[in-house]
Structure formats: structure tokens, C-alpha cells
Amino acid sequence: MSAHNSQDLLRRDPRAEWIARNRLHPLHGSVVSADMGEVRGPTGLLRKNPHKVGFIGPNGIKRIDRLKGNAAGAGKGRRSSAAQDIQLPLHQVENPDFYVVVVPDMVGGRLTAHDKDVIGQAHKLITGAEGNGAVLAVCFGQSKEEHFDTAGVDRLLLLEDECYEGYRPEQRLAALVQVESAYKPQFWLFPDSVNGGSDLGSRLAARIGERPAVQAWLVDSDSTVCRGAGGTTDITRSTPRLLMLAEECADPIDETRHEALPVELDSVPAVIAQLQDRGQVAVDPNAISLAEAEFILSAGNGIHNWDQFHSAAAVLGATEGASRVAVDDGFMPRFRQVGATGTWVTARVYLAVGISGAIQHMQGIGQCDKVIAINTDAGCDMVKRAALSVIGDSEAILGELIKLAEDFRAQQSAGGDRDAA
Amino acid sequence: MQPNQFNVDAANKLKIVSLVSVGKHPQSGRMRRADQDSRAVELGLKLTGDNHSGESLVVLHAGDPGEPNLRSYAGMGLKSVRVLQLDPAADAILPLGQHLQQCGADIVLTGVRAESGESSGMVPYQLAEKLGWPIVPRVADIVSVKGGVAEVLQALPRGQRRSVMVKLPFIASVDSAAPEARQSAFGPASRALMDIEVVSASVDDVRQAWEEAAARKRPKRLKVVKAKTAAERFKAATAKSQGDGGKVMKNESAAEQAQAIFDLLKEEGVLR
């Protein structure tokens, strides 16, 4: 019994404990490092030695690293961590079993946020189905998009011929019918937007005899929920082959990179167009509401010659906007104010003259694509936000810009290609 | 309403059909004349000229002729509303197509999307496919009809307009950007004639399997920060949304700077 007990009994070594307590003892290191593994107390509780955490820094001060190995580039200075380009993992589809075709709007030659949502939905449909499918994007017109790969496009069909430029729904429809016969896609996805996606989708649905789901917002491979009755009811139905998807129907692709392999289409027959596009008609830019204007010329405190500003807006064909200061000083009416207290604008191009960019103003232009700043201060927030910043006197630059625009207009009217308003 | 400034060479020969449906108010849910359909009727009235109302403009509905809100279209100054009587569950495309073919319409006007039912906006497209006519979607105005060719103004996003030439006959869906419909007068509405024609149509079987419910509120998309460390999360929460540092022109002359701005504006296609 005594032999049995001697195994269970915890024998303490008071001398070793005493050495372990005394960090100045010459044998302290050997006693402490003897038990490097996890140390359990008498009750079985995990004990950590606070004295062993960290290391002694170069100036003799103890340093504790709490980043747990996440301090990427800590030694390279402050800037390096910001400008890191992360290579996303490549998603490859070789010999796809089926295709999901997406026809993005490509407003201004680039994928819109709505287009990216639709591509995200296409990938959701592929994961829901059996076999490995590929997303085929069919893009009409000149494309300026550079990030098809990170948007989630596996195969890319660019139709950049002259015959697809402008409003050519019939020719585009003929190309889509060709895609239908060549690829036999499992799903056709269109953004349900006023930028042409809804029009093209409806045309294709009527041509190939599919009954589409429009304003679909909750889609999987079996069932679809779409809005009906002008957005007041939800219709739950089985997923059709052709879908026109509402905005924010799915999350865009952001964790993978895709191949975006270019593919070709056999010659599309030329269609005798019944609709003849005569181009856009000149609309009074100031009659368009600020919230939906496409091109805004906005004035701030840096404007001194207001007549020049108004004439610049007129000759550029821009809608006028203003910062809060310009409105408070009485140079512009209140309904022209851009920003958190004024109008939240959605312009594609926002030309800010003499606006340094208060945070309320920056919130108001949060949805703008391209911001151009004319300012005297190179360090202001607007310059940081802008795609192109010009540092200098606004009056001189606007004057030069008016000259250029007037020359352009003169050429246009001389060329005679200006559309009849 | 402005005096008739419309440029017509053969207005009284032009036959216009406006397809109307019963609308639903988006907030109150009350049945009403549909907004876009009434704009289509208004555009039809403008095209035929107010003097000819009821003669060359046909307001056509497929469905239940007993629906009281149909009369509010007639209250816009029409003598009659033509109704193809069919079962509410039936597919209206076939009888509508036949009727349009028979009556020899030149321009067919519809709304973009109905305010009740499936509201897919497919009716004009399917009719166009069936009849082989061109379709012009989202029309804001029809400027002129000359020599069998119409000049149509299409409503684009951001308040823009596009001019499209199209040969008669064609189908156009009328956008909310079209001129607002005139008020409906109750007296003429109740006196108007309902010109009923009973037609047979097949039942829309596909739709029977669908479930309809009041619209659920869609979840708002949250800004998800996929950060792995506390430092990244902190940066995502505090950093200002900034572009990736654009081009800055500091020492160039004003002319060069203006040229750079001008080139960017042209590249973006906002200078027209």
C-alpha cells in the first residue's frame, strides 16, 4: 500500500521551488527551463509563467508581442502594409459541363455594381447545381473593364464590333440567339435595370419562348422569389431558365480570381434594324435633378468668378452643384447643395472646383465614380479622393477648359454630326 | 394640356391602341387606374388630337369588364373603352394579338410594367414577337409621325433622352417620364360605353403553381468586413473611403491641366 501511495503522492522539492522563485539565483534558468511544456497546478489548472512571456528588446526593456505573428511587414516601415497587393486564389474551370450566361449592362464600358451582383448570383447557381459550370459573360460594345477576373467571369465573349455600338437591341438579340444555340446555357441572367438589361432580357425571353422571372431577388437552383404587382407582392416559383435579377440579389465575388478566358462566336447574321438609333438628344442639364445627374460641375469656396462658372457649366453640358459654403454665401440656391445636408448625388463624373472636401460633402459624393478636383491646396481631402487633381488657380483653369470645350462644340457643329435637339 | 403642337400629317388616319390594365396604388394598395397606362392613354390622346378622341384612339383592356376602375380611363375624355372579356386566370396574349391584327393598329401603347398580377412587363414584347412588329421600350414622347415613320423619344436613366426612328406599325411601352395623365372626370367616366367582346383564351397553367404573398422587406446589405486581424478590422472601421490615389498635376501650366481634365471628360463620354 505504501508503494502504491508513493506513485500518487506529490513530492515537493522545496529547494527547487525556492530557486524557481528567486530569479537572481544562478541556477534559476536551469530550474525554470526544465519544465518548458504546459505546467499544471495542483488542481490541474493550466499555469502560465508571466515572466517567460516576451523577450528583452535591444535597449534592455522587455517587449511583449501580442500580434501573434500577424504583424505583416512590421519591420518595413509604416507605408508598406497599406500598399500590399494580395493575389487571390485562381478559380479554374476546364471543360465546363454547362454554362450560365450573364449579359451585363456595361454602363460606360465597365461592369456596374448590379452586374457584379448578377455574376455573384451566377456562381451561386453553379454551386447549387451538379457538375462544374462556368460563367460566360456576353459584353456588347467597347469595353473599358480591366477586372473581369476578380468580378468572377470564367469565360468572356466580347462583341465589340461596330454593329453593336449604340442602341442596337435587334442585332444584340441576334447575337444572344446565336449564343443560345452554341452554348445551350443552363441559365440566362440579366440585370433587371433601366440600362438595357431588362429590355434585352425581355426580347430574348419572347424570342426563345421562356417565361422569365423579373425582379428576382432570392434565387437558388430550385426556387425563385421575385417581386410582382409593381413590387408589392412576392411570387415564389420554380426557377426558370431566364432570370432578370433585382439589385443586390447576391453578393459579388470577392475572394477568388477567375480566368476570364476570351471565347469566340461564329459569325452573327446581320439584322435589318427596324429601330434606327438617332443618338441622344440634348437635354437642359439643369432641368435634370441633381440626384440623378450624370455629370456635375460643383462649386465651392474657391470660386470667385461666378459668371465664368455658370458659362463653364453651360458649355460643358454639366449640371451645377455647390458646396455648403457657396450656398450659405448666397451664390447658389439651396437645392443645388451637394452633401449630407443637401443632395446625395450619384454622378458618374463629378468635377469639384474649389471644394476642399468637408466630410459631409464627401459623404454626399460617395457614390460618384470619377471625381476630378481643381484646388489650390494639394493636401485637401478632395484631392485624396479624386482620380485626377489639378492644383492651381480655378479661374485660369476654368478659362482654359471653356476654350477647349468651345473648340470642341465648334468642331461638332462644323462636322454636322450633332443630333437635332 | 398645351394646345396641339403635334406634327401630324395624317393624324385622323392614324390608328392608335392603348392597352390598359387595372392598377394598384403602391402605398395604400387601393385599385386605381395604372400610372403608366394612363400616361399611355394621354400620349394616345395627344397623338390623335383631342378632337378625334374616341374615333382613332382605342383604349383596350383584356379581363373583367365589370371592373369599376376601368371607367376612370374613359373619364379622360373617351366615349368608350373596349374590353376583351376573358377569365382572370387566362393568358391574354393570344386574344390581344388577334384583336390588334384585326383592327389594324398603327401604334400600340402600353405601360412598362403592370401594377398588379405578375408585372413582368412581357406583354409588349410577346405581342411584338407574335405580330412581328418592332418594340420601343420606355418611351417618353412620340415627336412626329411622317410618311409612315415615327420619331420616338426614349427615356434613359439620369434624365437623358434618346431619339429613335421606327416604322409603323410598332409597339411602345410608355415610361413614367412621359407627360402626366390628365385628371379623370367622374361623370363622363360613368357615361362611357363599355364595348365588350367575349373571347376565349387558354388558362395560364404555369401561374397556378405559383405562391403569391405580400412583399417581404428585403434585408439591407450590410458592409461585411472580412478582416482577419484586429488591426485590419480597426483600419476598416476608421479609414476614410478614399480612391486609390489619383493623378495629381501640380506644376503644369493651366492649359495643360485643362487639357488633362478635358481628355478625361471625353474619355468618360460625358461631353456630348
Side-chain angles (χ1 to χ4, degrees), chain A residues 113-397:
Chain A
H114 196 172
D115 292 339
K116 290 178 185 171
D117 294 347
V118 172
I119 295 172
Q121 178 67 61
H123 280 282
K124 260 176 78 181
L125 283 171
I126 286 175
T127 35
E130 287 167 18
N132 56 340
V135 173
L136 169 66
V138 182
C139 304
F140 295 104
Q142 284 296 324
S143 159
K144 290 183 212 156
E145 178 67 47
E146 293 155 359
H147 301 293
F148 281 116
D149 52 347
T150 46
V153 176
D154 296 314
R155 301 286 187 274
L156 179 62
L157 178 59
L158 280 180
L159 298 166
E160 295 189 313
D161 294 343
E162 183 65 28
C163 59
Y164 300 110
E165 282 301 331
Y167 184 61
R168 298 283 160 76
E170 292 149 321
Q171 185 64 43
R172 291 180 180 200
L173 176 64
L176 292 184
V177 169
Q178 195 85 5
V179 170
E180 163 80 12
S181 61
Y183 289 94
K184 306 258 179 310
Q186 188 147 345
F187 293 107
W188 278 99
L189 304 186
F190 291 83
D192 195 348
S193 68
V194 292
N195 294 312
S198 158
D199 178 29
L200 209 51
S202 304
R203 279 175 199 270
L204 184 68
R207 179 62 54 87
I208 64 177
E210 288 289 338
R211 188 159 186 175
V214 301
Q215 285 290 327
W217 60 276
L218 194 61
V219 182
D220 58 35
S221 42
D222 300 323
S223 70
T224 295
V225 180
C226 54
R227 290 274 198 246
T232 55
T233 59
D234 270 341
I235 301 174
T236 310
R237 52 182 290 188
S238 59
T239 301
R241 256 190 83 211
L242 199 150
L243 292 140
M244 291 180 238
L245 297 155
E247 265 180 280
E248 303 197 352
C249 52
D251 289 324
I253 296 292
D254 59 351
E255 287 183 330
T256 46
R257 199 157 47 88
H258 295 252
E259 295 168 293
L261 285 179
V263 292
E264 296 288 327
L265 192 64
D266 303 341
S267 62
V268 179
V271 175
I272 302 162
Q274 291 174 296
L275 303 181
Q276 193 193 341
D277 183 7
R278 295 282 301 274
Q280 287 203 10
V281 170
V283 183
D284 176 19
N286 282 334
I288 306 168
S289 84
L290 199 56
E292 62 167 3
E294 189 177 24
F295 174 29
I296 296 177
L297 179 66
S298 199
N301 203 21
I303 291 273
H304 303 295
N305 188 346
W306 284 92
D307 292 338
Q308 188 200 33
F309 170 76
H310 293 305
S311 63
V315 73
L316 289 171
T319 308
E320 288 179 8
S323 75
R324 169 148 188 182
V325 187
V327 172
D328 281 355
D329 291 352
F331 293 116
M332 293 286 272
R334 181 63 71 189
F335 66 90
R336 293 266 167 231
Q337 184 182 332
V338 174
T341 36
T343 313
W344 292 57
V345 299
T346 59
R348 218 151 52 72
V349 179
Y350 186 83
L351 179 47
V353 189
I355 302 176
S356 54
I359 185 66
Q360 292 87 350
H361 195 86
M362 305 308 275
Q363 284 168 349
I365 63 167
Q367 288 184 54
C368 296
D369 281 347
K370 283 262 185 250
V371 176
I372 307 172
I374 300 179
N375 213 308
T376 47
D377 175 13
C380 66
D381 281 350
M382 186 61 83
V383 170
K384 287 177 195 154
R385 165 77 166 78
L388 172 67
S389 317
V390 163
I391 312 299
D393 178 38
S394 68
E395 198 169 338
I397 296 166

Side-chain angles (χ1 to χ4, degrees), chain B residues 182-200:
Chain B
R182 62 191 72 182
Q183 279 192 328
S184 173
F186 181 75
S190 31
R191 283 192 294 275
L193 177 75
M194 300 301 265
D195 181 4
I196 300 168
E197 186 182 329
V198 181
V199 292
S200 62

Side-chain angles (χ1 to χ4, degrees), chain B residues 46 108 117 143 170 219 225:
Chain B
K46 181 199 149 193
V108 178
V143 185
F170 68 94
V225 180

